[in-house]
């Protein structure tokens, strides 16, 4: 029974990591890739690490806090990494996809440039 | 049974790593490569975890933590470098 | 509020000393007893019971997990559909939160729910620029973030 639960967690994690990789291949521009890849990978890490934790507490009677710490760590760092990548890409001038429906940031940046410095 | 599941998961993750490598080689802009590198680091974490199940050992836990830290620091440093050419800005307001 | 936590911790430590059995489980029992005592004497305390904040925090986490699972499945549907029909775009999201901690928490939660990614802040921290992978309308995106996360964060920290 517990083996089945562990396998389900591991497989969910692996499938979401694969999904992130497919998203990187299929999506059209850098922003959508960052968007999908960051979170699919976070979800994948949660799945595999919970599976790993359950496996070691079930088969070896070891409660490994470090494995759970990995989840916390990825949770804290993944949004920061995604934010840094997207912001830097925008400032470096990477184009947004042609079929995007709106771009509020561009308008606001333009306004700020046109406004004189007080 | 769990061993075979671990092997299947390793196969899936290997495919994911191959896709990431493809994007790293092809990626039109530098930021596509950085995303692929980030995802590759995360996928490696899962891979090493499966290796722990196959080899029945807990010693790779530190490897997992260090991989997570390295992938995060690498991502942030690379994207800051690509943005302005410097990693640490001296004159922050 | 800090005085309550201090009181609770000292009750727990006193319990641990009284039972002369130093382990995490006795500490936990003492902590629960301290919570019960604080609840009994809550009319004498000047502030609200800090435990309500913890309940609000747990509720926020549960909402977050639910949103995360739903949105992950959504992104999976977008990525695996044979023709890409996604309409990505950048939405300016006006926030009412003002402290740096609250804005950081909000942007982390927004980024971790798939489909949305915080890209930039305005200088006065009042506007977040959110990249969304599939927009129906700007109002819907703002509405969904406002009702799920911003309300929860306001309940936890203020």
């Amino acid at each position: 029974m517990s083996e089945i639960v562990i396998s389900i967690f591991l497989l969910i994690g692996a499938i979401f990591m694969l999904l992130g990789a497919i998203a990187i291949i299929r999506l059209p521009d850098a922003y959508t890739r960052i968007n999908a890849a960051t979170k699919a990978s976070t979800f994948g890490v949660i799945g595999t690490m919970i599976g790993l934790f359950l496996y070691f507490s079930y088969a070896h009677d070891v409660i490994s806090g470090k494995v759970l710490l990995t989840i916390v760590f990825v949770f804290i760092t993944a949004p920061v990494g995604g934010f840094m990548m997207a912001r830097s890409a925008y400032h470096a001038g990477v184009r947004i996809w042609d079929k995007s429906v709106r771009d509020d940031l561009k308008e606001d940046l333009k306004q700020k440039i046109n406004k004189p410095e007080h | 049974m769990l061993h075979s599941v671990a092997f299947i998961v390793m196969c899936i993750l290997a495919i994911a790593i191959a896709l990431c490598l493809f994007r790293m080689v092809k990626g039109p802009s530098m930021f596509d490569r950085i995303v692929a590198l980030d995802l590759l680091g995360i996928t490696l974490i899962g891979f090493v975890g499966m290796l722990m199940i196959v080899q029945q050992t807990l010693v790779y836990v530190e490897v997992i933590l260090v991989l997570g830290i390295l992938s995060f620091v690498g991502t942030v440093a690379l994207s800051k470098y690509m943005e302005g050419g410097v990693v640490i800005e001296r004159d922050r307001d | 509020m800090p005085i309550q936590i201090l009181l609770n911790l000292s009750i727990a430590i006193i319990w641990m000393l009284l039972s002369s059995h130093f382990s995490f489980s006795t500490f936990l029992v003492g902590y629960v007893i301290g919570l019960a005592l604080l609840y009994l004497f809550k009319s004498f305390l000047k502030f609200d019971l800090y435990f309500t904040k913890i309940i609000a925090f747990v509720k926020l986490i549960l909402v977050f997990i639910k949103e995360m699972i739903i949105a992950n499945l959504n992104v999976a549907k977008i990525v695996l559909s044979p023709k890409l029909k996604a309409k990505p775009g950048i939405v300016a999201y006006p926030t009412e939160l003002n402290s740096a901690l609250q804005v950081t928490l909000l942007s982390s939660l927004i980024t971790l729910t798939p489909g949305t990614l915080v890209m930039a802040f305005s200088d006065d921290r009042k506007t977040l620029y959110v990249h969304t992978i599939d927009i129906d309308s700007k109002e819907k995106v703002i509405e969904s973030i406002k009702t799920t996360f911003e309300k929860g964060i306001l309940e936890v920290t203020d």
Side-chain angles (χ1 to χ4, degrees):
Chain A
M1 180 59 205
S2 45
E3 286 196 351
I4 294 175
V5 175
I6 294 169
S7 336
I8 286 174
F9 269 114
L10 293 180
L11 283 175
I12 285 178
I15 284 171
F16 270 96
M17 279 184 186
L18 181 66
L19 200 78
I22 294 175
I24 274 190
I25 296 291
R26 283 205 63 197
L27 289 176
D29 71 340
Y31 302 104
T32 44
R33 280 176 206 147
I34 293 170
N35 203 333
T38 320
K39 290 86 162 208
S41 61
T42 318
F43 208 64
V45 164
I46 293 172
T48 43
M49 287 302 131
I50 287 179
L52 202 63
F53 176 75
L54 289 179
Y55 172 73
F56 276 107
S57 57
Y58 156 74
H60 293 257
D61 284 333
V62 182
I63 305 287
S64 171
K66 284 177 190 165
V67 173
L68 291 184
L69 204 63
T70 310
I71 296 179
V72 176
F73 195 77
V74 169
F75 247 84
I76 296 172
T77 57
V80 181
F83 167 69
M84 285 301 299
M85 283 190 279
R87 201 195 66 155
S88 305
Y90 205 91
H91 285 292
V94 176
R95 286 279 180 77
I96 196 165
W97 190 33
D98 313 329
K99 285 181 191 162
S100 300
V101 282
R102 61 185 300 142
D103 188 354
D104 290 347
L105 185 54
K106 192 171 153 196
E107 299 297 315
D108 288 9
L109 277 183
K110 210 184 282 170
Q111 270 176 17
K112 207 185 290 172
I113 289 167
N114 291 338
K115 219 184 287 174
E117 295 275 325
H118 32 217
Chain B
M1 174 195 160
L2 272 171
H3 269 239
S4 42
V5 170
F7 272 112
I8 293 170
V9 170
M10 276 166 97
C11 290
I12 296 175
L13 293 183
I15 297 171
I17 289 178
L19 292 177
C20 287
L21 281 176
F22 175 72
R23 180 49 81 190
M24 263 169 89
V25 173
K26 188 174 170 246
S29 75
M30 199 62 202
F31 289 96
D32 297 306
R33 298 197 174 104
I34 297 176
V35 183
L37 194 68
D38 188 45
L39 190 57
L40 202 146
I42 298 275
T43 318
L44 269 182
I45 290 178
F47 203 85
V48 176
M50 291 313 108
L51 217 58
M52 280 163 69
I53 288 185
V54 171
Q55 299 191 357
Q56 304 271 336
T57 166
L58 257 172
V59 294
Y60 296 147
V61 179
E62 279 84 6
V63 177
I64 287 182
L65 279 171
V66 170
L67 268 178
I69 293 168
L70 274 185
S71 117
F72 169 65
V73 173
T75 307
V76 171
L78 265 177
S79 47
K80 283 224 63 129
Y81 179 70
M82 291 315 295
E83 179 188 359
V86 286
V87 176
I88 299 171
E89 296 163 20
R90 293 270 171 72
D91 50 341
R92 290 195 76 94
D93 44 36
Chain C
M1 197 175 105
I3 195 86
Q4 289 181 26
I5 297 177
L6 202 64
L7 215 61
N8 203 344
L9 280 180
S10 45
I11 290 173
I13 290 172
I14 288 171
W15 177 264
M16 199 164 73
L17 290 173
L18 278 178
S19 58
S20 68
H21 188 264
F22 304 100
S23 73
F24 184 68
S25 54
T26 42
F27 183 80
L28 211 64
V29 170
Y31 199 84
V32 172
I33 289 174
L35 268 184
L37 282 179
L38 278 180
Y39 182 74
L40 282 179
F41 289 99
K42 69 168 183 264
S43 52
F44 297 108
L45 295 169
K46 295 207 176 72
F47 309 102
D48 287 344
L49 213 56
Y50 78 95
F51 202 64
T52 52
K53 291 264 162 86
I54 295 182
I55 290 177
F57 187 64
V58 170
K59 216 185 269 174
L60 179 66
I61 288 179
L62 287 182
V63 167
F64 167 66
I65 290 174
K66 192 188 108 206
E67 287 289 316
M68 192 169 166
I69 292 174
I70 291 175
N72 254 311
L73 294 178
N74 265 339
V75 169
K77 212 164 66 186
I78 290 174
V79 170
L80 293 180
S81 64
K83 273 184 80 177
L84 278 179
K85 289 184 298 230
K87 291 178 296 214
I90 299 172
V91 173
Y93 171 74
T95 175
E96 292 158 14
L97 307 174
N98 36 34
S99 81
L101 175 72
Q102 289 174 330
V103 176
T104 313
L105 195 59
L106 178 69
S107 55
S108 292
L109 289 185
I110 290 176
T111 303
L112 277 174
T113 27
T116 49
L117 170 78
V118 175
M119 280 185 60
F121 296 93
S122 63
D123 289 335
D124 56 351
R125 287 203 214 112
K126 282 292 172 202
T127 314
L128 309 181
Y129 295 94
V130 182
H131 183 275
T132 314
I133 213 167
D134 198 3
I135 299 181
D136 287 331
S137 69
K138 182 185 170 181
E139 284 73 27
K140 212 183 247 176
V141 174
I142 291 177
E143 183 69 32
S144 74
I145 294 174
K146 195 150 263 179
T147 50
T148 50
F149 293 138
E150 196 165 328
K151 214 176 61 181
I153 288 175
L154 273 179
E155 271 171 27
V156 174
T157 61
D158 71 323

